[in-house]
Amino acid sequence: IIEAAELSAEVKNKALAIFEVIAQAEGKVHQREAEEVSFHEVGAVDSIVDIVGCAICLDYLEVEKIYVGKVNVGSGYVKCAHGVMPVPAPATAELLQGFKTYSYGAEKELTTPTGAAIIKALAEFRADLPEDFTSEKIGYGAGTLDLPIANVLRIYFGECSGNAVRRLVKLET
C-alpha cells in the first residue's frame, strides 16, 4: 500500500522503516522471520494512517533529528490477538529495547506498538535536549482515554545552533 501510494520517496522510506522494525519485533516475538509476519494488529488501516501521517508530518516540517526522553509504557494488562498480555505488550517491549521506560499513573497501555515503532525507527534516546537547542514551538496532543494523569504528548520543535543538526523534535509524554 505504501509503495504504491503517491508519496515522496522520503515519506515512503520513513514509513517503511517503521513497518520494518514492527516486522522484526513481531517476528522475534512469534519466533519467525520478519518477512513471514502477518500484520494482524499493527497493519490495520489506522496504523497505516498513523505511520504514514507521522512520516508526512516529519517531512513537511523538515525534521532532521528526533530525541525522545523516558517512555511511560503504563501498566496492567492489554487484550491482544493472542489473549490478555501484561503491559507493555511483547512487541512494544521488544521495540523499546535500548530506550529508558517507566510505568506510572495508569493501569492502561500508554505506549502502543505503533508508537514504539515510530520511536525505534526514527528517534534517539536523550535525557535532555542538546545545550545549543532553542525551542521555537511547543505542540500538545491529547489522547482520548480518561486517565488519572494528563494524557498528553508534548513536542518541542526547534533548532540547534551547531552545524550538526538544524531542526529537531523532542517527544515527551
Side-chain angles (χ1 to χ4, degrees):
I1 293 171
I2 293 168
E3 288 173 343
E6 292 185 30
L7 300 166
S8 72
E10 185 68 23
V11 169
K12 286 181 184 181
N13 290 339
K14 278 187 173 81
L16 292 172
I18 295 166
F19 271 106
E20 178 62 29
V21 298
I22 293 172
Q24 290 172 1
E26 289 285 352
K28 185 169 182 184
V29 167
H30 292 104
Q31 298 178 336
R32 59 180 62 156
E33 296 297 318
E35 297 79 27
E36 299 173 17
V37 170
S38 169
F39 289 105
H40 57 280
E41 292 184 9
V42 293
V45 173
D46 62 329
S47 293
I48 294 171
V49 171
D50 290 346
I51 290 168
V52 173
C54 175
I56 290 169
C57 180
L58 294 170
D59 185 59
Y60 177 79
L61 294 173
E62 300 177 348
V63 173
E64 295 178 12
K65 190 76 177 168
I66 300 171
Y67 295 117
V68 63
K70 286 184 180 181
V71 180
N72 189 354
V73 295
S75 64
Y77 296 87
V78 64
K79 290 181 184 176
C80 299
H82 306 291
V84 176
M85 306 289 270
V87 170
T92 302
E94 185 66 34
L95 287 160
L96 291 176
Q97 282 192 23
F99 290 89
K100 299 206 182 288
T101 63
Y102 67 103
S103 298
Y104 177 77
E107 286 197 17
K108 297 275 186 190
E109 179 183 51
L110 299 181
T111 303
T112 64
T114 301
I118 291 168
I119 290 169
K120 178 74 169 187
L122 305 178
E124 173 185 324
F125 173 76
R126 184 151 182 151
D128 295 307
L129 288 167
E131 286 187 30
D132 62 346
F133 175 77
T134 302
S135 176
E136 296 171 359
K137 297 178 181 175
I138 300 174
Y140 297 90
T144 57
L145 291 177
D146 185 18
L147 302 174
I149 59 172
N151 186 14
V152 176
L153 171 72
R154 177 171 42 201
I155 299 175
Y156 295 90
F157 181 80
E159 292 189 10
C160 287
S161 58
N163 294 330
V165 177
R166 251 188 32 250
R167 306 222 34 73
L168 63 91
V169 173
K170 178 180 179 184
L171 302 175
E172 283 187 328
T173 59

